[in-house]
């Protein structure tokens, strides 16, 4: 007695082989991910116009939810896209982080290259007075020029 393991034949245990891959679930998942990224990408950008100085340090990875403090050349200060008083930067950030510890949060400062040093130090002092000690300065990537 011999058994036929492959090939044609119409026996009672013959199974038709399908060599095609069903890509419909893959396409569905890709479309959902595309929509998610299209919606989330504009939310991760800052819309305050600041001319950044050139940085030569290598780029670092961003935290999950970064807080950007932007200082324009005309001394206007923003947290994200919202304008705040220059003396109230620290207290506004405390309201934004909620129950988290200020020393655990990293604050990114984006300052125009023509910003007055006094304005920059006023923002830094406000942050330090509120307990924010981890501050990163954002600069323009040298390769982007």
């Amino acid at each position: 007695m011999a058994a036929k393991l492959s090939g044609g034949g119409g026996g009672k245990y013959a199974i038709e082989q399908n060599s095609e891959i069903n890509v419909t679930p893959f396409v569905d998942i890709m479309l959902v991910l595309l929509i998610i990224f299209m919606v989330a990408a504009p939310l991760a950008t800052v819309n305050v116009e600041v001319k950044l100085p050139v940085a030569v340090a290598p780029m670092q990875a961003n935290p999950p939810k970064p807080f950007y403090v932007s200082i324009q050349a005309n001394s206007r200060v923003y947290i994200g896209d919202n304008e705040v008083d220059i003396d109230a930067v620290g207290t506004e950030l405390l309201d934004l982080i909620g129950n988290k510890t200020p020393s655990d949060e990293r604050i990114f400062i984006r300052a125009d290259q023509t910003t007055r040093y006094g304005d920059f130090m006023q923002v830094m002092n406000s942050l330090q007075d509120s307990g924010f000690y981890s501050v990163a300065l954002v600069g323009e990537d040298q390769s982007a020029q």
Side-chain angles (χ1 to χ4, degrees):
M1 228 199 263
K4 189 172 188 181
L5 297 176
S6 65
K12 144 176 159 178
Y13 296 107
I15 298 174
E16 185 69 31
Q17 293 183 357
N18 182 4
S19 62
E20 296 178 10
I21 297 174
N22 185 5
V23 295
T24 304
F26 177 73
V27 171
D28 290 345
I29 290 172
M30 288 296 115
L31 288 174
V32 168
L33 288 174
L34 176 67
I35 291 170
I36 289 171
F37 284 115
M38 286 174 61
V39 169
L43 299 177
T45 60
V46 180
N47 295 326
V48 178
E49 185 68 31
V50 174
K51 187 175 180 187
L52 296 173
V54 176
V56 293
M59 293 179 61
Q60 300 292 319
N62 284 341
K65 185 176 188 283
F67 291 100
Y68 288 98
V69 176
S70 302
I71 308 170
Q72 289 184 325
N74 59 2
S75 301
R76 296 173 83 180
V77 178
Y78 295 83
I79 297 176
D81 292 334
N82 302 321
E83 186 174 0
V84 296
D85 184 43
I86 196 165
D87 295 321
V89 173
T91 55
E92 292 287 335
L93 279 170
L94 284 174
D95 292 341
L96 286 176
I97 66 167
N99 297 334
K100 297 180 187 173
T101 308
S103 59
D104 294 340
E105 294 295 322
R106 175 174 278 181
I107 308 301
F108 292 89
I109 296 183
R110 301 171 64 241
D112 193 275
Q113 59 184 325
T114 59
T115 298
R116 291 182 357 163
Y117 184 71
D119 294 338
F120 175 77
M121 285 308 298
Q122 197 171 356
V123 169
M124 290 290 289
N125 289 336
S126 178
L127 291 173
Q128 192 173 25
D129 291 345
S130 298
F132 294 99
Y133 300 113
S134 181
V135 175
L137 304 177
V138 179
E140 188 71 37
D141 187 16
Q142 192 173 21
S143 63
Q145 291 184 351

